[in-house]
Amino acid sequence: MTSAPVQEGVIDLLVASMTWEQKLAQLQIAFRPRLEDAADLVRSGIGAVFWPRSAASTNELQRIAREETPHGIPLLVGLDVVHGQRTTFPVPLAQAASFDPATAETDARVSAHEAASGGVNWTFSPMIDVSRDPRWGRVVEGFGEDAYVNAVFGASKVRGYQGESLRDRDSILACAKHFVAYGQAEGGRDYNTVDVSMQRLRNVYLEPFKATVDAGVATVMAAFNTVSGRPAHANHLLLTSILKGEFGFNGVVVGDADGVVNLLDHGIAEDLPDALLQSFAAGLDVEMGGNVLSDDGRLRLSPGDVPLERVDDAVRRVLNLKLALGLFDDPYREADHEVTTPSPASRRATLMAAEKGLVLLKNESVLPLGPAPKRVLLVGPYAESTDHLGAWIQSFAEPTGSLADAIGEECPEWSLTVREGTGFFGGQSGHIADAVADAADFDAVVVAVGEPSALTGEASSRSDLRLPGAQEELIRAVAATGAAVAIVMFNGRPLVTSGWIGAVPAILEAWHSGLEGPRAVARALSGAVNPGGRLPMTFPRSSSQVPIYYDHENTGRPATVSGSLDGAAVDVALMGPGNTDDHYTSKYKDLDLGPQFPFGHGLSYTSFEYGDLSLTHSRITMEDLRAGQSIEVTIDVTNTGPCKGDEVTMLFIRDLVASLAQPVRRLRGFTRSSLQPGETITLSFELGWNDLGFWDNEGLYIVEPGAFEIHVGGGLDDTRVFNLHLRP
Ligand code: GLC
């Protein structure tokens, strides 16, 4: 957790000299928008505050803490720096689409530098809640449906925020959230019930948190939801036995905003003191909301309500972090060095991140449009909208321009005509006919649609995943003109496109891609950049098809098409559309099988071909594997197309027979490669004990002998398969 050697002596002396009230005051964080109110809170001894919006204000609060409180304990200063402070990076879901963890680490590094310069020393990020239900608005904040992708990206963000040492001036505490399984909220309704088996809890939801703990994350935030009946905020099994005990987490567990207060509505606490008591006893260390002290300054917990050693442990954890950050030596920031606007370098970094997150969903010879002079019609609510920063962006983030602005700058040879056609929420559909009447006269029509960021993020679940308002009507109207059409989608979750996808030849998924998102899209439309991103979440055919995800169990009656593709029987549940002649199988009678676009889907302006797969072992014993022997998997990939491009190569395993039903695929490795036309590279992956096993319902990790399939290629529907035999 901390790289600095902890000076236990200092901490022990301090804890021994603190009163009960002073200890409890360290175990909460509160937000007071007015500086004078925050100052009063600090004088009362509170250990942490939300960022007061400037280095100067933060310095004043730190000064009060250092000079006007009995022990002069400096403050933790927290803020949700989720994907940017002044320079906004693409939303985390878009970063996951890059399948390039360095993108996330760069975001975290730049964000930490900018936030730390203002006095922030704690961010409530990364969010690593695996979710398979795009109705849930918070899918935008995480890294998609796969546990391994969330684990890799979460660990990268931790390294980016915390740097080589927490004492570095540009390092801030990271916070893995929300512990745990928040992404399985029933019905995709935020804050709702989660009831999950132990095997799924460990194989899917806990894996990313273990990865961030192993990466040294300093804090973890408890989730709002129950986990199999017990709210996470008061769940001793989760917070203490698994997180602190089994995972060895020695940092701070912080509650979510009023998550302790919510225990009353959960119906597991009589009153606020009871809620606080249950939470701290379960392993919570810091309450978020300032409810430990009542407004008149009275403590809500008396000595003995919570075992003193538990309180002292929590205080030590908090003070250890303050020591590791170097706050006891110097909690102040040079106010005139505060970063308040993006630098050219940070703009370049977020532009690259936005370009890497673009996913070409469909392209029948329309894109790229090329830089040469041409008449282009740009229509749709996102033609001139500047709503590209996405969820969790603060008021002080640098604003961005529109797609129309970016095209004007990046495609100067184009003659651009811009018409809105319709708004986000309909009502203006009467403009559609006017907007598209002469569409066929243009060389190309770009339709910029999407969901406004206000429909994404916390407390923003949607029951209908289609484009809101009359946007589908606009798309169909443009398609009906026979013009060369390209759709660009700006959204924060998988959307349903089935109402119009058959009518259009090209779709570019652009997400809410941050400060330079519009520029990235303009460059992709012209061909200056070749999209190489892949979907980190499955796109369903219908809102009622969710949850839908790639690493599903096969079930006892999988629906498959009996036909074939290039002579090889395919499992259509993986491959997508196609009806089935199997009656008694798992499917909807009124919907084609499989998703609209599967996890990992993404096209390119070029093409790639894979060579043969080879493994160092086609058979290996359990004993060798347990002893640390690994299997090296290698494959060649070649750019066989006309231009430079990035290819994401993925490695999946399938355990064909096991004591628990296993997913039809599990991602265990991925890499993104840039290849010039004609270039071939050899990629290698390692598979070991920790890749071939699974957790059972008794909480044991087991590897079982038998046959495995190793799939490697450019995604679910494009892999070379190798059979591996694990001998007893
Ligand atoms: C919110 C979110 C959490 C965030 C916290 C502080 O309710 O659930 O992710 O970090 O409050 O803003």
Side-chain angles (χ1 to χ4, degrees):
M1 174 270 295
T2 59
S3 49
V6 170
Q7 300 155 36
E8 291 296 340
V10 169
I11 300 295
D12 288 342
L13 283 175
L14 201 42
V15 172
S17 64
M18 291 167 75
T19 65
W20 172 259
E21 181 170 4
Q22 289 163 348
K23 290 175 182 177
L24 283 188
Q26 286 294 312
L27 307 185
Q28 56 179 345
I29 176 171
F31 172 61
R32 294 289 183 277
R34 287 165 16 108
L35 187 61
E36 52 271 37
D37 296 338
D40 290 343
L41 212 50
V42 174
R43 284 189 189 92
S44 74
I46 195 168
V49 294
F50 275 78
W51 187 54
R53 295 297 185 269
S54 75
S57 299
T58 308
N59 286 340
E60 174 55 10
L61 295 181
Q62 292 286 16
R63 184 199 61 76
I64 292 170
R66 297 289 280 155
E67 299 172 6
E68 298 182 26
T69 63
H71 297 286
I73 299 172
L75 296 166
L76 290 180
V77 182
L79 182 70
D80 291 280
V81 188
V82 177
H83 55 106
Q85 175 75 350
R86 307 290 182 170
T87 305
T88 304
F89 280 74
V91 292
L93 191 62
Q95 293 184 26
S98 74
F99 279 83
D100 176 8
T103 301
E105 188 161 345
T106 301
D107 158 25
R109 203 78 214 120
V110 171
S111 301
H113 166 69
E114 294 181 352
S117 75
V120 174
N121 53 42
W122 184 15
T123 178
F124 306 123
S125 176
M127 189 270 217
I128 48 177
D129 298 316
V130 174
S131 181
R132 284 88 172 254
D133 191 332
R135 293 172 296 181
W136 189 47
R138 301 198 78 165
V139 298
V140 68
E141 296 175 55
F143 300 101
E145 71 189 42
D146 181 72
Y148 181 75
V149 172
N150 274 276
V152 170
F153 274 78
S156 295
K157 292 276 277 202
V158 168
R159 285 190 291 272
Y161 289 128
Q162 299 187 172
E164 291 299 315
S165 162
L166 288 176
R167 295 183 78 85
D168 294 345
R169 300 293 278 173
D170 283 346
S171 294
I172 60 178
L173 304 176
C175 180
K177 69 182 186 181
H178 306 79
F179 194 74
V180 69
Y182 185 17
Q184 190 171 293
E186 229 163 63
R189 291 184 298 277
D190 206 352
Y191 315 118
N192 217 286
T193 303
V194 171
D195 201 311
V196 60
S197 65
M198 180 52 77
Q199 66 103 4
R200 177 160 290 196
L201 184 70
R202 286 180 175 274
N203 289 313
V204 176
Y205 299 108
L206 282 172
E207 179 176 335
F209 286 92
K210 179 66 167 58
T212 55
V213 171
D214 292 347
V217 71
T219 67
V220 170
M221 182 181 286
F224 285 121
N225 51 282
T226 55
V227 179
S228 306
R230 186 76 185 166
H233 275 70
N235 195 313
H236 188 275
L237 170 66
L238 293 176
L239 301 184
T240 298
S241 304
I242 293 178
L243 179 61
K244 294 181 177 178
E246 184 184 325
F247 288 5
F249 176 65
N250 59 10
V252 163
V253 177
V254 61
D256 201 337
D258 284 346
V260 172
V261 175
N262 294 164
L263 297 181
L264 302 177
D265 281 325
H266 277 296
I268 66 126
E270 294 287 339
D271 52 26
L272 195 42
D274 183 24
L276 287 163
L277 179 160
Q278 290 192 53
S279 296
F280 284 125
L284 196 81
D285 298 309
V286 172
E287 184 270 339
M288 181 179 283
N291 294 294
V292 177
L293 289 168
S294 62
D295 286 347
D296 57 9
R298 272 182 315 103
L299 273 182
R300 287 201 167 97
L301 287 178
S302 306
D305 284 348
V306 180
L308 182 59
E309 59 270 16
R310 172 72 273 274
V311 170
D312 285 354
D313 171 57
V315 174
R316 277 198 185 83
R317 288 169 181 262
V318 170
L319 297 182
N320 274 338
L321 291 185
K322 296 183 177 185
L323 195 66
L325 284 165
L327 297 180
F328 284 97
D329 301 330
D330 176 9
Y332 305 109
R333 295 289 167 167
E334 299 78 11
D336 54 0
H337 291 174
E338 181 176 1
V339 175
T340 55
T341 55
S343 67
S346 66
R347 280 187 176 273
R348 284 193 299 274
T350 190
L351 172 61
M352 184 182 292
E355 290 174 351
K356 287 199 167 186
L358 298 175
V359 184
L360 187 59
L361 295 178
K362 183 178 181 183
N363 190 28
E364 292 163 356
S365 312
V366 170
L367 294 176
L369 300 177
K374 56 180 65 67
R375 295 183 63 228
V376 176
L377 171 62
L378 175 63
V379 296
Y382 258 110
E384 295 185 297
S385 166
T386 57
D387 175 20
H388 292 283
L389 302 186
W392 268 124
I393 285 313
Q394 313 278 3
S395 57
F396 45 77
E398 184 76 11
T400 183
S402 69
L403 178 57
D405 299 334
I407 290 175
E409 292 169 20
E410 294 296 327
C411 313
E413 299 300 316
W414 293 3
S415 164
L416 188 67
T417 302
V418 183
R419 300 174 190 146
E420 185 186 49
T422 183
F424 285 117
F425 298 106
Q428 308 90 331
S429 58
H431 302 170
I432 288 178
D434 302 340
V436 305
D438 60 351
D441 300 340
F442 289 85
D443 297 310
V445 180
V446 175
V447 188
V449 291
E451 67 175 344
S453 53
L455 289 184
T456 70
E458 184 174 354
S460 303
S461 298
R462 291 181 62 195
S463 67
D464 183 346
L465 295 172
R466 291 176 298 174
L467 289 165
Q471 297 182 78
E472 290 202 349
E473 187 185 335
L474 172 67
I475 292 171
R476 286 192 291 269
V478 173
T481 66
V485 183
I487 310 296
V488 183
M489 282 205 300
F490 299 89
N491 43 296
R493 57 161 50 87
L495 294 180
V496 169
T497 60
S498 51
W500 47 270
I501 189 164
V504 298
I507 307 173
L508 180 67
E509 173 57 71
W511 314 105
H512 294 139
S513 278
L515 180 60
E516 295 291 348
R519 189 180 309 283
V521 171
R523 286 166 51 77
L525 291 174
S526 74
V529 69
N530 179 0
R534 300 301 186 80
L535 295 181
M537 268 191 91
T538 300
F539 276 46
R541 295 176 179 283
S542 150
S543 304
S544 54
Q545 194 181 29
V546 297
I548 182 168
Y549 48 98
Y550 87 92
D551 53 340
H552 58 80
E553 294 178 7
N554 201 33
T555 77
R557 295 188 173 210
T560 60
V561 66
S562 54
S564 67
L565 182 69
D566 303 332
V570 293
D571 170 353
V572 76
L574 282 176
M575 293 296 292
N579 279 314
T580 170
D581 53 7
D582 305 342
H583 183 68
Y584 297 99
T585 53
S586 178
K587 62 183 176 300
Y588 296 101
K589 291 188 78 69
D590 57 351
L591 196 65
D592 270 353
L593 287 177
Q596 190 72 56
F597 297 111
F599 171 88
H601 175 75
L603 305 177
S604 173
Y605 294 155
T606 187
S607 56
F608 300 94
E609 275 185 21
Y610 284 87
D612 293 335
L613 188 60
S614 67
L615 276 71
T616 48
H617 305 72
S618 60
R619 306 169 71 81
I620 187 169
T621 65
M622 297 272 290
E623 186 185 349
D624 286 347
L625 208 58
R626 192 196 302 269
Q629 178 107 21
S630 60
I631 301 150
E632 186 179 8
V633 183
T634 55
I635 193 166
D636 287 352
V637 58
T638 302
N639 179 343
T640 52
C643 62
K644 176 184 171 189
D646 285 9
E647 170 67 347
V648 175
T649 305
M650 302 178 183
L651 180 145
F652 300 92
I653 67 163
R654 181 174 189 177
D655 186 345
L656 293 170
V657 178
S659 53
L660 292 181
Q662 291 302 300
V664 293
R665 293 285 188 285
R666 281 184 75 199
L667 185 70
R668 296 283 91 187
F670 62 83
T671 185
R672 178 168 177 149
S673 318
S674 290
L675 293 171
Q676 295 294 340
E679 184 181 1
T680 297
I681 56 170
T682 300
L683 301 172
S684 65
F685 302 88
E686 292 262 324
L687 283 174
W689 181 264
N690 292 330
D691 300 303
L692 296 173
F694 56 91
W695 294 90
D696 66 12
N697 282 309
E698 283 64 50
L700 298 175
Y701 181 77
I702 50 180
V703 178
E704 296 175 340
F708 289 76
E709 288 176 349
I710 312 297
H711 292 249
V712 182
L716 284 173
D717 49 5
D718 169 25
T719 59
R720 298 287 183 274
V721 185
F722 198 100
N723 295 312
L724 170 70
H725 194 77
L726 197 45
R727 287 185 289 140

